[in-house]
Amino acid sequence: MDYQALAKKYDTPLYVYDFDQIAQNYNAIKSAFKARKSLIAYAVKANSNLSVLRLLANLGAGADCVSIGEVKRALLAGIPNYKIIFSGVGKRDDEIEEAIQKDILFLNIESEAESERIEEIAAKLGKRARISVRVNPDIDPKTHPYISTGLSANKFGVDIDTAKRIYLRAKNSPHLEPVGIHFHIGSQLTDLEPIKEASAKVAELAKALQKIDIDIKFFDVGGGLGIRYKDEETIEPYDYAQAILSTLSGTDMTIVCEPGRFIVGNAGVFLTRVLYEKRNKDKRFIIVDGAMNDLLRPSLYNAYHEIEIAGKSGDESKADVVGPVCESGDFFAKERLLPPTEPGDIVVVKSAGAYGFVMSSNYNTRPRPAEVAVERGEDRLIRERESFEYIIEKEVRFLV
Ligand code: LLP
């Protein structure tokens, strides 16, 4: 891909997504589960651009949403309601109501209190809400603590006994219909064993529930499949699917899988332009026009993203790549071996397709970057760069 040409055409900072790669990633995970009925419910939070969602809708994907806003995005992009699930540890009443009205596939419940609330709302609407319970299997996923979710010390899901109580209550309620069971132990998982262990634990519960006539149709294994940012050993989709399927023999539940990062992560790059270099004593800084407000992962998680200077190589020395925001945490890389740069050079920050643009903000009154899709060799704008006027629109009329 000609990053210099794209940067010239659309300006920087810029997100660029390879739509063919996204399609390939989706197909890889879909076919890994081909031995069974499956729904790949893409985790919209990873990259919620409408054109990305439209691409996935056309491939047959469903959507895993964590706000009613995401549900509405998915619908707008053409993902049908019967392929949409609504997860999240805290849902507002109005979100629950709208999700029930829109007749989505199911709501993932994360507490007893939430199941009662959903029951009340469904009763008020004269409906029966399809639900699934997120079980916290209390397993260490061995990933970054901020994105680890399957330990009882985390705020997510309910323990097995609580899950059972919720299912029993739902079974006897005219307003709740338990149809699924769910777990998600963390993100950027690179170790198969914890997934298998969690799946086995939750499968056992699903089987026990089926024995008492609670008809669990969907086995929702969450997302979390890791990608290679640097040199991580990643899990092959086939092995991932086999690990899960091996715990499900004797059942015919439909697999629901909620990958986000795996589908879009390596299909996106963030392009930013060198403003200048400077040295403070021995330290070399490459100052670029992108910042932590555009791509937060390095600042927030100390995440590693590979970096390349488009069209340059050789004579490398260590440098920090930093943005213009007035925080020391505003960096893309530290002590990275990079060739000499000149103003105007394009810095390519790799693996930025997931949790990149979606976590951006207007901090320092910086307009959010544009987003571009490249599909079968053609590039096109899929989100316009924000303007100053757009940023202030919601406040300027209150000026007195
Ligand atoms: N399902 C549930 C219930 C989740 O909580 C998540 C991610 C996913 C699916 C999708 O996980 P994935 O397949 O993308 O790993 N901002 C962080 C990641 C936060 C992930 C939160 N939950 C980052 O930049 O690494």
Side-chain angles (χ1 to χ4, degrees), residues 225-240:
L225 202 51
I227 62 169
R228 183 166 297 136
Y229 285 98
K230 191 179 184 184
D231 50 11
E232 301 91 332
E233 278 287 328
T234 53
I235 303 169
E236 287 301 318
Y238 177 82
D239 298 332
Y240 174 70

Side-chain angles (χ1 to χ4, degrees), residues 182-234:
H182 172 50
F183 67 93
H184 170 85
I185 57 172
S187 198
Q188 183 55 14
L189 306 174
T190 51
D191 194 342
L192 202 50
E193 209 41 49
I195 301 172
K196 196 168 173 179
E197 243 180 89
S199 185
K201 251 191 184 177
V202 177
E204 198 184 314
L205 173 59
K207 289 176 199 167
L209 294 169
Q210 285 172 336
K211 281 210 184 90
I212 53 168
D213 276 346
I214 297 176
D215 189 13
I216 306 290
K217 300 183 184 73
F218 299 100
F219 191 75
D220 178 351
V221 302
L225 202 51
I227 62 169
R228 183 166 297 136
Y229 285 98
K230 191 179 184 184
D231 50 11
E232 301 91 332
E233 278 287 328
T234 53

Side-chain angles (χ1 to χ4, degrees), residues 144 229 296-305 331-333 336:
H144 190 291
Y229 285 98
L296 186 60
R297 301 192 74 255
S299 305
L300 188 59
Y301 311 115
N302 204 16
Y304 181 98
H305 285 260
F331 65 90
F332 293 122
R336 196 70 65 84

Side-chain angles (χ1 to χ4, degrees), residues 60 102 181-182 240 243 330 345 379:
K102 290 194 159 38
I181 195 160
H182 172 50
Y240 174 70
D330 181 25
D345 280 352
D379 53 83

Side-chain angles (χ1 to χ4, degrees), residues 114-288:
E114 188 187 0
S115 92
E116 286 161 26
R117 186 68 60 77
I118 293 176
E119 188 176 13
E120 277 163 29
I121 295 171
K124 187 186 87 181
L125 299 173
K127 301 229 172 185
R128 193 154 189 223
R130 283 181 296 275
I131 57 133
S132 160
V133 178
R134 176 164 177 179
V135 180
N136 184 327
D138 198 16
I139 281 166
D140 184 354
K142 305 189 183 115
T143 184
H144 190 291
Y146 279 22
I147 47 178
S148 148
T149 50
L151 280 166
S152 52
N154 299 126
K155 68 179 174 182
F156 299 97
V158 296
D159 58 53
I160 287 182
D161 288 337
T162 311
K164 280 186 193 150
R165 275 204 305 280
I166 297 176
Y167 279 112
L168 283 174
R169 180 188 171 120
K171 179 182 188 239
N172 296 319
S173 163
H175 297 295
L176 294 177
E177 184 186 0
V179 295
I181 195 160
H182 172 50
F183 67 93
H184 170 85
I185 57 172
S187 198
Q188 183 55 14
L189 306 174
T190 51
D191 194 342
L192 202 50
E193 209 41 49
I195 301 172
K196 196 168 173 179
E197 243 180 89
S199 185
K201 251 191 184 177
V202 177
E204 198 184 314
L205 173 59
K207 289 176 199 167
L209 294 169
Q210 285 172 336
K211 281 210 184 90
I212 53 168
D213 276 346
I214 297 176
D215 189 13
I216 306 290
K217 300 183 184 73
F218 299 100
F219 191 75
D220 178 351
V221 302
L225 202 51
I227 62 169
R228 183 166 297 136
Y229 285 98
K230 191 179 184 184
D231 50 11
E232 301 91 332
E233 278 287 328
T234 53
I235 303 169
E236 287 301 318
Y238 177 82
D239 298 332
Y240 174 70
Q242 285 310 307
I244 290 163
L245 294 176
S246 70
T247 67
L248 293 180
S249 46
T251 72
D252 74 342
M253 291 179 283
T254 297
I255 299 274
V256 178
C257 181
E258 309 169 351
R261 190 187 320 262
F262 180 83
I263 295 201
V264 288
N266 278 338
V269 295
F270 176 66
L271 302 184
T272 175
R273 194 182 302 265
V274 175
L275 298 175
Y276 21 75
E277 286 211 18
K278 81 170 193 183
R279 274 180 192 280
N280 282 349
K281 291 211 169 127
D282 290 339
K283 189 121 183 130
R284 174 181 169 213
F285 291 97
I286 301 175
I287 300 166
V288 295

